[in-house]
Amino acid sequence: MHVGDQPSLLCGAFVHKETEMIDLYYWPTPNGHKITMFLEEAGLEYAIHPVDISAGDQFRSDFLAISPNNRMPAIIDTTPADGGEMVSVFESGAILLYLAEKTGRFMPSDVRGRKIVTEWLFWQVGGLGPMAGQNHHFALYAPTSIPYAIERYVNETNRLYGVLDRHLEDRAFLAGDRYSIADMASYPRIVPWKRQQQNMDDFPNLRRWFDMVRQRAGTQRAYAKGEAYSNRPTITEEGKAVLFGQTASRASVA
Ligand SMILES: N[C@@H](CCC(=O)N[C@@H](CS)C(=O)NCC(=O)O)C(=O)O
């Protein structure tokens, strides 16, 4: 793919807009769903700009300008709270924090409430997300089956499910009584629990929380949004060639 041959992914996002609007660079994966879950819950106006990661859109220079790690999601806020120039944000955890601060929603304002939300948000982006990601990689996508790697990540996923289950024993949501960005961060990684070789019967508190988050209207709308962009159940061989084996010198499109 040649970047210059393509219409810009940024689709006019750098033009100042009168109405409040978030431009979302998105593909319907767990990290993408986190952000549509927030946007749907908060009722913010947003426009989706698809970043087809199996086709290599994440390597396009206009996307890299806002997301230098060649990963989606990313956002552009064309009407930031300080009234200044538009703001771009990459990394799902940073985006959730940014949007929570912008709207004053899904993040408590007291010291202790903020502390617990940030603990579980960082726990997800540094633990559950990467470990469950490796679980999927070795169990579903690796060209050869490596039993040690599969066992390591299935076990680590299981340990993390146990941490969530214990934490949820005496609280409705991760930060207590109120739904927060910590819940939005973790939920999409639990959705494929069967593929992660986990048994929800072993985690009754996690199941209760999972069902509660799944039934929220915002969650339903967020996942419905994703359906328009991809109905591919698995990553194709072409997609694997784009996604796997990236190095510093080979993180680009052919
Ligand atoms: N730490 C990042 C991870 C984002 C991430 O891994 N995104 C994946 C899709 S879920 C991606 O863009 N992959 C493209 C690639 O591997 O080249 C975040 O939380 O935003």
Side-chain angles (χ1 to χ4, degrees):
M1 180 194 311
H2 300 285
V3 167
D5 297 346
Q6 305 278 333
S8 171
L9 272 179
L10 300 183
C11 299
F14 284 84
V15 178
H16 181 79
K17 292 181 177 149
E18 295 305 316
T19 51
E20 197 163 23
M21 168 70 88
I22 299 295
D23 284 298
L24 171 62
Y25 298 87
Y26 164 89
W27 199 244
T29 71
N31 286 304
H33 293 310
K34 292 175 189 175
I35 313 304
T36 47
M37 283 174 76
F38 184 100
L39 293 166
E40 289 293 337
E41 288 280 349
L44 282 178
E45 286 290 316
Y46 66 103
I48 289 181
H49 304 285
V51 180
D52 184 343
I53 57 173
S54 289
D57 286 351
Q58 69 273 36
F59 302 112
R60 294 172 56 162
S61 57
D62 51 356
F63 181 68
L64 290 172
I66 61 165
S67 188
N69 193 37
N70 66 265
R71 298 283 186 273
M72 70 89 230
I75 61 165
I76 292 177
D77 180 1
T78 53
T79 54
D82 63 5
E85 291 287 294
M86 59 169 204
V87 169
S88 68
V89 190
F90 72 99
E91 280 292 319
S92 61
I95 296 169
L96 288 173
L97 272 175
Y98 178 88
L99 292 173
E101 277 165 14
K102 176 183 173 70
T103 58
R105 308 276 314 273
F106 305 108
M107 171 69 132
S109 51
D110 65 291
V111 171
R112 287 157 208 271
R114 288 178 66 81
K115 184 219 71 138
I116 190 165
V117 169
T118 49
E119 279 176 336
W120 287 95
L121 180 65
F122 279 64
W123 176 86
Q124 193 286 322
V125 294
L128 179 64
M131 294 302 123
Q134 295 303 319
N135 174 326
H136 287 205
H137 181 82
F138 286 107
L140 301 172
Y141 303 130
T144 51
S145 176
I146 306 168
Y148 176 82
I150 295 171
E151 190 184 351
R152 172 174 163 75
Y153 290 110
V154 168
N155 285 350
E156 179 61 2
T157 308
N158 187 264
R159 187 188 72 80
L160 292 164
Y161 274 46
V163 172
L164 274 179
D165 191 62
R166 277 193 301 281
H167 180 69
L168 289 164
E169 199 172 335
D170 52 4
R171 41 181 77 72
F173 296 108
L174 288 176
D177 295 341
R178 295 179 63 182
Y179 187 54
S180 77
I181 55 174
D183 302 293
M184 296 175 200
S186 277
Y187 173 82
R189 277 301 186 188
I190 307 294
V191 171
W193 55 270
K194 280 191 199 140
R195 281 203 288 158
Q196 292 165 13
Q197 302 179 46
Q198 305 302 317
N199 181 357
M200 283 294 247
D201 291 341
D202 298 339
F203 306 106
N205 305 307
L206 179 59
R207 183 189 275 284
R208 173 193 38 77
W209 167 88
F210 177 75
D211 288 341
M212 220 155 52
V213 178
R214 180 163 50 88
Q215 284 157 16
R216 292 181 73 92
T219 306
Q220 302 283 325
R221 286 196 301 271
Y223 275 74
K225 275 274 154 72
E227 283 165 20
Y229 295 93
S230 175
N231 52 16
R232 290 197 297 255
T234 50
I235 298 177
T236 61
E237 289 307 311
E238 267 181 346
K240 284 183 192 171
V242 172
L243 288 166
F244 306 140
Q246 296 175 19
T247 62
S249 58
R250 216 172 65 75
S252 64
V253 283

